[in-house]
Short mmCIF file of all heavy atoms in Angstrom, two decimals:
data_model
loop_
_atom_site.label_atom_id
_atom_site.label_comp_id
_atom_site.label_asym_id
_atom_site.label_seq_id
_atom_site.Cartn_x
_atom_site.Cartn_y
_atom_site.Cartn_z
N SER A 330 -5.69 28.02 -20.96
CA SER A 330 -4.99 28.61 -21.97
C SER A 330 -5.93 29.16 -23.10
O SER A 330 -5.49 29.89 -24.01
CB SER A 330 -4.08 27.62 -22.57
OG SER A 330 -4.67 26.50 -23.23
N ARG A 331 -7.18 28.77 -23.00
CA ARG A 331 -8.10 29.08 -24.06
C ARG A 331 -9.37 29.84 -23.48
O ARG A 331 -10.21 30.34 -24.24
CB ARG A 331 -8.59 27.91 -24.78
CG ARG A 331 -7.60 27.17 -25.59
CD ARG A 331 -8.12 26.19 -26.55
NE ARG A 331 -8.70 25.18 -25.90
CZ ARG A 331 -9.90 24.51 -26.16
NH1 ARG A 331 -10.57 25.16 -27.18
NH2 ARG A 331 -10.36 23.63 -25.47
N THR A 332 -9.57 30.05 -22.17
CA THR A 332 -10.71 30.54 -21.57
C THR A 332 -10.90 31.97 -21.80
O THR A 332 -12.09 32.42 -21.74
CB THR A 332 -10.90 30.13 -20.01
OG1 THR A 332 -9.58 30.51 -19.46
CG2 THR A 332 -11.11 28.72 -19.86
N GLU A 333 -9.82 32.75 -22.11
CA GLU A 333 -10.05 34.17 -22.45
C GLU A 333 -10.85 34.29 -23.76
O GLU A 333 -11.62 35.18 -23.96
CB GLU A 333 -8.65 34.79 -22.63
CG GLU A 333 -7.97 35.12 -21.22
CD GLU A 333 -6.70 35.90 -21.32
OE1 GLU A 333 -6.50 36.36 -22.38
OE2 GLU A 333 -6.03 35.99 -20.37
N GLU A 334 -10.50 33.35 -24.67
CA GLU A 334 -11.37 33.35 -25.92
C GLU A 334 -12.56 32.75 -25.92
O GLU A 334 -13.57 33.22 -26.47
CB GLU A 334 -10.43 32.70 -27.01
CG GLU A 334 -8.95 33.23 -27.22
CD GLU A 334 -8.14 32.41 -28.07
OE1 GLU A 334 -8.72 31.39 -28.66
OE2 GLU A 334 -7.02 32.63 -28.26
N ASP A 335 -12.71 31.63 -25.21
CA ASP A 335 -13.91 30.83 -24.86
C ASP A 335 -14.01 30.41 -23.42
O ASP A 335 -13.40 29.53 -22.99
CB ASP A 335 -13.88 29.64 -25.90
CG ASP A 335 -15.15 28.75 -25.67
OD1 ASP A 335 -16.08 29.22 -25.00
OD2 ASP A 335 -15.18 27.58 -26.24
N PRO A 336 -14.80 31.16 -22.62
CA PRO A 336 -15.00 30.95 -21.29
C PRO A 336 -15.47 29.38 -20.98
O PRO A 336 -15.22 29.03 -19.85
CB PRO A 336 -16.06 31.85 -20.74
CG PRO A 336 -16.04 33.04 -21.81
CD PRO A 336 -15.77 32.39 -23.10
N THR A 337 -16.04 28.81 -21.91
CA THR A 337 -16.46 27.39 -21.66
C THR A 337 -15.55 26.42 -22.08
O THR A 337 -15.69 25.22 -22.13
CB THR A 337 -17.81 27.14 -22.35
OG1 THR A 337 -17.65 27.23 -23.85
CG2 THR A 337 -18.92 28.17 -21.96
N ALA A 338 -14.30 26.71 -22.67
CA ALA A 338 -13.34 25.81 -23.10
C ALA A 338 -12.93 24.83 -22.06
O ALA A 338 -12.56 25.25 -20.96
CB ALA A 338 -12.07 26.51 -23.75
N THR A 339 -12.92 23.60 -22.44
CA THR A 339 -12.28 22.59 -21.54
C THR A 339 -11.21 21.90 -22.20
O THR A 339 -11.03 21.82 -23.53
CB THR A 339 -13.34 21.53 -21.18
OG1 THR A 339 -14.02 20.95 -22.25
CG2 THR A 339 -14.38 22.22 -20.33
N CYS A 340 -10.37 21.09 -21.41
CA CYS A 340 -9.21 20.48 -22.04
C CYS A 340 -9.59 19.29 -22.91
O CYS A 340 -10.58 18.48 -22.54
CB CYS A 340 -8.35 19.75 -20.94
SG CYS A 340 -7.54 21.06 -19.82
N VAL A 341 -8.98 19.19 -24.13
CA VAL A 341 -9.46 18.16 -25.03
C VAL A 341 -8.95 16.78 -24.44
O VAL A 341 -7.98 16.74 -23.78
CB VAL A 341 -8.83 18.39 -26.38
CG1 VAL A 341 -9.42 19.64 -26.96
CG2 VAL A 341 -7.31 18.48 -26.34
N PRO A 342 -9.61 15.68 -24.76
CA PRO A 342 -9.26 14.36 -24.30
C PRO A 342 -8.14 13.76 -25.12
O PRO A 342 -8.28 13.13 -26.12
CB PRO A 342 -10.57 13.48 -24.47
CG PRO A 342 -11.23 14.12 -25.63
CD PRO A 342 -10.95 15.58 -25.51
N ASN A 343 -6.86 14.03 -24.51
CA ASN A 343 -5.72 13.35 -25.25
C ASN A 343 -4.65 13.02 -24.23
O ASN A 343 -4.70 13.51 -23.12
CB ASN A 343 -5.14 14.20 -26.35
CG ASN A 343 -4.63 15.56 -25.90
OD1 ASN A 343 -4.29 15.75 -24.78
ND2 ASN A 343 -4.59 16.56 -26.77
N ALA A 344 -3.74 12.23 -24.72
CA ALA A 344 -2.69 11.77 -23.65
C ALA A 344 -1.81 12.94 -23.18
O ALA A 344 -1.31 12.96 -21.96
CB ALA A 344 -1.73 10.75 -24.41
N GLN A 345 -1.59 13.99 -23.97
CA GLN A 345 -0.86 15.14 -23.62
C GLN A 345 -1.36 15.75 -22.34
O GLN A 345 -0.67 16.01 -21.30
CB GLN A 345 -0.75 16.18 -24.59
CG GLN A 345 0.23 17.23 -24.48
CD GLN A 345 0.42 18.16 -25.64
OE1 GLN A 345 0.41 19.35 -25.47
NE2 GLN A 345 0.47 17.59 -26.92
N HIS A 346 -2.64 15.99 -22.31
CA HIS A 346 -3.37 16.59 -21.06
C HIS A 346 -3.46 15.65 -20.02
O HIS A 346 -3.24 15.89 -18.78
CB HIS A 346 -4.68 17.03 -21.35
CG HIS A 346 -4.80 18.45 -22.16
ND1 HIS A 346 -4.23 19.56 -21.60
CD2 HIS A 346 -5.40 18.91 -23.32
CE1 HIS A 346 -4.41 20.59 -22.37
NE2 HIS A 346 -5.10 20.21 -23.46
N ALA A 347 -3.82 14.37 -20.24
CA ALA A 347 -3.96 13.32 -19.32
C ALA A 347 -2.71 13.12 -18.41
O ALA A 347 -2.87 13.15 -17.20
CB ALA A 347 -4.35 12.00 -19.86
N ILE A 348 -1.59 12.99 -19.11
CA ILE A 348 -0.41 12.85 -18.35
C ILE A 348 0.00 14.10 -17.46
O ILE A 348 0.42 14.03 -16.32
CB ILE A 348 0.81 12.53 -19.33
CG1 ILE A 348 0.47 11.14 -19.99
CG2 ILE A 348 2.21 12.44 -18.58
CD1 ILE A 348 1.51 10.83 -21.13
N ARG A 349 -0.18 15.27 -18.00
CA ARG A 349 0.23 16.37 -17.22
C ARG A 349 -0.75 16.70 -16.11
O ARG A 349 -0.43 17.11 -14.99
CB ARG A 349 0.25 17.56 -18.23
CG ARG A 349 1.54 17.58 -19.10
CD ARG A 349 1.50 18.66 -20.16
NE ARG A 349 2.78 18.84 -20.79
CZ ARG A 349 3.16 18.07 -21.82
NH1 ARG A 349 2.37 17.10 -22.25
NH2 ARG A 349 4.37 18.26 -22.47
N GLN A 350 -2.04 16.41 -16.32
CA GLN A 350 -2.99 16.59 -15.36
C GLN A 350 -2.73 15.68 -14.21
O GLN A 350 -2.82 16.02 -13.03
CB GLN A 350 -4.38 16.37 -16.00
CG GLN A 350 -4.93 17.49 -16.78
CD GLN A 350 -6.32 17.06 -17.39
OE1 GLN A 350 -6.93 16.03 -17.20
NE2 GLN A 350 -6.95 18.02 -18.10
N SER A 351 -2.43 14.46 -14.52
CA SER A 351 -2.24 13.50 -13.35
C SER A 351 -1.02 13.78 -12.42
O SER A 351 -1.14 13.61 -11.18
CB SER A 351 -2.07 12.04 -13.97
OG SER A 351 -0.95 12.05 -14.82
N LYS A 352 -0.02 14.32 -13.01
CA LYS A 352 1.14 14.77 -12.23
C LYS A 352 0.76 15.92 -11.25
O LYS A 352 1.21 15.93 -10.14
CB LYS A 352 2.39 15.20 -13.18
CG LYS A 352 2.90 13.95 -13.97
CD LYS A 352 4.04 14.42 -14.84
CE LYS A 352 4.71 13.18 -15.59
NZ LYS A 352 5.76 13.51 -16.51
N LEU A 353 0.06 16.91 -11.82
CA LEU A 353 -0.49 17.98 -10.91
C LEU A 353 -1.43 17.39 -9.89
O LEU A 353 -1.54 17.82 -8.82
CB LEU A 353 -0.97 19.12 -11.66
CG LEU A 353 -1.56 20.28 -10.85
CD1 LEU A 353 -0.37 20.95 -9.93
CD2 LEU A 353 -2.12 21.36 -11.73
N LEU A 354 -2.29 16.47 -10.40
CA LEU A 354 -3.44 16.06 -9.57
C LEU A 354 -2.72 15.25 -8.25
O LEU A 354 -3.36 15.59 -7.14
CB LEU A 354 -4.23 14.98 -10.26
CG LEU A 354 -5.35 14.40 -9.57
CD1 LEU A 354 -6.26 15.42 -8.94
CD2 LEU A 354 -6.17 13.52 -10.60
N ALA A 355 -1.77 14.57 -8.47
CA ALA A 355 -1.20 13.83 -7.29
C ALA A 355 -0.54 15.03 -6.25
O ALA A 355 -0.80 14.80 -5.05
CB ALA A 355 -0.07 13.02 -7.72
N LYS A 356 0.05 16.01 -6.85
CA LYS A 356 0.46 17.07 -5.84
C LYS A 356 -0.69 17.79 -5.20
O LYS A 356 -0.60 18.24 -3.97
CB LYS A 356 1.39 18.07 -6.78
CG LYS A 356 2.50 17.48 -7.36
CD LYS A 356 3.24 18.60 -8.23
CE LYS A 356 4.50 18.02 -8.81
NZ LYS A 356 5.21 18.96 -9.78
N ASN A 357 -1.74 18.01 -5.85
CA ASN A 357 -2.93 18.80 -5.41
C ASN A 357 -3.60 17.90 -4.26
O ASN A 357 -4.03 18.48 -3.22
CB ASN A 357 -3.95 19.10 -6.44
CG ASN A 357 -3.54 20.32 -7.24
OD1 ASN A 357 -2.67 21.03 -6.86
ND2 ASN A 357 -4.34 20.54 -8.32
N ILE A 358 -3.69 16.71 -4.45
CA ILE A 358 -4.37 15.81 -3.49
C ILE A 358 -3.47 15.77 -2.14
O ILE A 358 -4.06 15.94 -0.95
CB ILE A 358 -4.43 14.32 -4.01
CG1 ILE A 358 -5.48 14.33 -4.99
CG2 ILE A 358 -4.88 13.35 -2.85
CD1 ILE A 358 -5.64 12.85 -5.82
N VAL A 359 -2.09 15.71 -2.31
CA VAL A 359 -1.28 15.70 -1.12
C VAL A 359 -1.33 17.07 -0.53
O VAL A 359 -1.38 17.17 0.83
CB VAL A 359 0.19 15.30 -1.55
CG1 VAL A 359 1.17 15.51 -0.38
CG2 VAL A 359 0.25 13.88 -2.04
N ALA A 360 -1.31 18.05 -1.32
CA ALA A 360 -1.35 19.45 -0.72
C ALA A 360 -2.63 19.59 0.03
O ALA A 360 -2.58 20.21 1.25
CB ALA A 360 -1.29 20.46 -1.92
N GLN A 361 -3.77 19.25 -0.49
CA GLN A 361 -5.04 19.48 0.34
C GLN A 361 -5.02 18.70 1.64
O GLN A 361 -5.48 19.13 2.62
CB GLN A 361 -6.26 19.21 -0.48
CG GLN A 361 -7.57 19.48 0.21
CD GLN A 361 -8.61 19.31 -0.71
OE1 GLN A 361 -9.08 18.12 -0.93
NE2 GLN A 361 -9.43 20.27 -1.23
N MET A 362 -4.55 17.42 1.68
CA MET A 362 -4.43 16.61 2.68
C MET A 362 -3.61 17.20 3.78
O MET A 362 -3.79 17.06 5.02
CB MET A 362 -3.87 15.21 2.37
CG MET A 362 -4.73 14.28 1.63
SD MET A 362 -3.91 12.88 1.06
CE MET A 362 -3.42 12.11 2.74
N ARG A 363 -2.55 18.01 3.37
CA ARG A 363 -1.59 18.65 4.34
C ARG A 363 -2.21 20.10 4.73
O ARG A 363 -1.30 20.94 5.26
CB ARG A 363 -0.33 18.54 3.89
CG ARG A 363 0.22 17.19 3.79
CD ARG A 363 1.58 17.12 3.05
NE ARG A 363 1.95 15.68 2.91
CZ ARG A 363 2.97 15.27 2.28
NH1 ARG A 363 3.80 16.22 1.55
NH2 ARG A 363 3.28 13.98 2.23
N GLY A 364 -3.41 20.56 4.27
CA GLY A 364 -3.92 21.79 4.59
C GLY A 364 -3.43 23.08 3.70
O GLY A 364 -3.43 24.17 4.07
N GLN A 365 -2.79 22.65 2.59
CA GLN A 365 -2.29 23.52 1.51
C GLN A 365 -3.30 23.78 0.50
O GLN A 365 -4.30 23.03 0.20
CB GLN A 365 -0.96 23.26 0.96
CG GLN A 365 0.08 22.94 2.08
CD GLN A 365 1.35 22.27 1.67
OE1 GLN A 365 1.47 22.03 0.44
NE2 GLN A 365 2.20 21.91 2.62
N GLN A 366 -3.11 24.84 -0.34
CA GLN A 366 -4.07 25.20 -1.47
C GLN A 366 -3.65 24.47 -2.71
O GLN A 366 -2.46 24.45 -3.13
CB GLN A 366 -4.06 26.78 -1.66
CG GLN A 366 -5.07 27.23 -2.51
CD GLN A 366 -6.50 27.11 -2.02
OE1 GLN A 366 -6.60 26.92 -0.81
NE2 GLN A 366 -7.49 27.00 -2.77
N PRO A 367 -4.61 23.64 -3.37
CA PRO A 367 -4.12 23.01 -4.64
C PRO A 367 -4.04 24.14 -5.71
O PRO A 367 -4.57 25.21 -5.67
CB PRO A 367 -5.30 22.11 -4.79
CG PRO A 367 -6.49 22.82 -4.15
CD PRO A 367 -5.92 23.45 -2.91
N LYS A 368 -3.25 23.74 -6.70
CA LYS A 368 -2.93 24.70 -7.89
C LYS A 368 -3.81 24.38 -9.12
O LYS A 368 -4.17 23.26 -9.29
CB LYS A 368 -1.49 24.56 -8.24
CG LYS A 368 -0.44 25.15 -7.18
CD LYS A 368 0.95 24.94 -7.68
CE LYS A 368 1.83 25.39 -6.55
NZ LYS A 368 3.36 25.28 -6.97
N ASP A 369 -4.11 25.31 -9.85
CA ASP A 369 -4.90 25.21 -11.06
C ASP A 369 -4.05 24.67 -12.10
O ASP A 369 -2.80 24.90 -12.29
CB ASP A 369 -5.39 26.61 -11.50
CG ASP A 369 -6.48 27.15 -10.68
OD1 ASP A 369 -7.08 26.31 -9.96
OD2 ASP A 369 -6.85 28.38 -10.78
N TYR A 370 -4.66 23.88 -12.94
CA TYR A 370 -3.94 23.12 -14.15
C TYR A 370 -3.92 24.15 -15.23
O TYR A 370 -4.97 24.69 -15.71
CB TYR A 370 -4.71 21.86 -14.51
CG TYR A 370 -4.17 21.33 -15.77
CD1 TYR A 370 -2.93 20.70 -15.87
CD2 TYR A 370 -4.84 21.46 -16.97
CE1 TYR A 370 -2.44 20.06 -16.91
CE2 TYR A 370 -4.31 20.89 -18.20
CZ TYR A 370 -3.02 20.25 -18.23
OH TYR A 370 -2.56 19.72 -19.33
N PHE A 371 -2.77 24.50 -15.78
CA PHE A 371 -2.53 25.45 -16.90
C PHE A 371 -1.56 24.80 -17.86
O PHE A 371 -0.37 24.56 -17.37
CB PHE A 371 -2.12 26.69 -16.51
CG PHE A 371 -1.93 27.75 -17.60
CD1 PHE A 371 -3.00 28.48 -18.05
CD2 PHE A 371 -0.68 27.76 -18.25
CE1 PHE A 371 -2.96 29.20 -19.20
CE2 PHE A 371 -0.64 28.71 -19.39
CZ PHE A 371 -1.72 29.41 -19.87
N HIS A 372 -1.83 24.50 -19.09
CA HIS A 372 -0.93 23.88 -19.89
C HIS A 372 -1.27 24.34 -21.40
O HIS A 372 -2.49 24.05 -21.82
CB HIS A 372 -0.94 22.40 -19.83
CG HIS A 372 -0.06 21.70 -20.89
ND1 HIS A 372 1.33 21.91 -20.89
CD2 HIS A 372 -0.35 20.96 -22.00
CE1 HIS A 372 1.75 21.23 -21.93
NE2 HIS A 372 0.80 20.70 -22.57
N LYS A 373 -0.39 24.98 -22.01
CA LYS A 373 -0.73 25.35 -23.43
C LYS A 373 -0.41 24.10 -24.29
O LYS A 373 0.51 23.39 -23.95
CB LYS A 373 0.32 26.55 -23.87
CG LYS A 373 -0.08 27.88 -23.26
CD LYS A 373 0.76 28.84 -23.84
CE LYS A 373 0.32 30.28 -23.36
NZ LYS A 373 1.17 31.36 -23.92
N TYR A 374 -1.22 23.99 -25.33
CA TYR A 374 -1.11 22.76 -26.21
C TYR A 374 0.13 22.99 -27.09
O TYR A 374 0.22 23.99 -27.74
CB TYR A 374 -2.42 22.82 -27.10
CG TYR A 374 -2.50 21.54 -27.83
CD1 TYR A 374 -2.51 20.18 -27.12
CD2 TYR A 374 -2.58 21.52 -29.24
CE1 TYR A 374 -2.72 19.06 -27.88
CE2 TYR A 374 -2.69 20.25 -30.07
CZ TYR A 374 -2.74 19.11 -29.18
OH TYR A 374 -2.85 17.86 -29.85
N LEU A 375 1.12 22.06 -26.80
CA LEU A 375 2.33 22.15 -27.50
C LEU A 375 2.30 21.84 -29.08
O LEU A 375 3.17 22.31 -29.87
CB LEU A 375 3.29 21.13 -26.89
CG LEU A 375 3.60 21.37 -25.34
CD1 LEU A 375 4.65 20.20 -24.89
CD2 LEU A 375 4.27 22.71 -25.18
N GLY A 376 1.36 21.03 -29.38
CA GLY A 376 1.21 20.58 -30.82
C GLY A 376 0.90 19.18 -30.95
O GLY A 376 0.55 18.45 -29.82
N SER A 377 0.98 18.62 -32.15
CA SER A 377 0.66 17.19 -32.33
C SER A 377 1.77 16.61 -33.25
O SER A 377 2.31 17.11 -34.11
CB SER A 377 -0.77 17.15 -32.95
OG SER A 377 -1.69 17.72 -32.17
N VAL A 378 1.79 15.24 -33.11
CA VAL A 378 2.69 14.45 -33.99
C VAL A 378 1.96 13.24 -34.40
O VAL A 378 1.08 12.66 -33.59
CB VAL A 378 4.11 14.14 -33.21
CG1 VAL A 378 4.83 15.27 -33.05
CG2 VAL A 378 3.78 13.47 -31.98
N ALA A 379 2.26 12.72 -35.52
CA ALA A 379 1.55 11.55 -35.85
C ALA A 379 2.60 10.73 -36.79
O ALA A 379 3.29 11.27 -37.75
CB ALA A 379 0.36 11.85 -36.73
N GLY A 380 2.53 9.48 -36.74
CA GLY A 380 3.36 8.51 -37.45
C GLY A 380 2.56 7.97 -38.70
O GLY A 380 1.40 7.61 -38.52
N LEU A 381 3.10 7.83 -39.86
CA LEU A 381 2.46 7.40 -40.99
C LEU A 381 3.19 6.21 -41.65
O LEU A 381 3.07 5.92 -42.80
CB LEU A 381 2.35 8.44 -41.97
CG LEU A 381 1.66 9.85 -41.55
CD1 LEU A 381 1.68 10.85 -42.72
CD2 LEU A 381 0.23 9.61 -41.03
#
Side-chain angles (χ1 to χ4, degrees):
S330 70
R331 297 190 293 135
T332 47
E333 287 187 10
E334 304 168 7
D335 178 7
T337 64
T339 56
C340 296
V341 296
N343 61 25
Q345 190 175 135
H346 280 305
I348 293 170
R349 287 173 169 82
Q350 285 175 354
S351 60
K352 290 181 179 179
L353 178 60
L354 180 54
K356 295 177 182 178
N357 279 352
I358 292 171
V359 173
Q361 189 177 67
M362 288 174 59
R363 297 173 182 171
Q365 301 167 7
Q366 192 67 23
K368 295 181 179 180
D369 288 345
Y370 173 75
F371 180 89
H372 173 70
K373 287 187 177 180
Y374 192 59
L375 299 178
S377 301
V378 291
L381 303 177

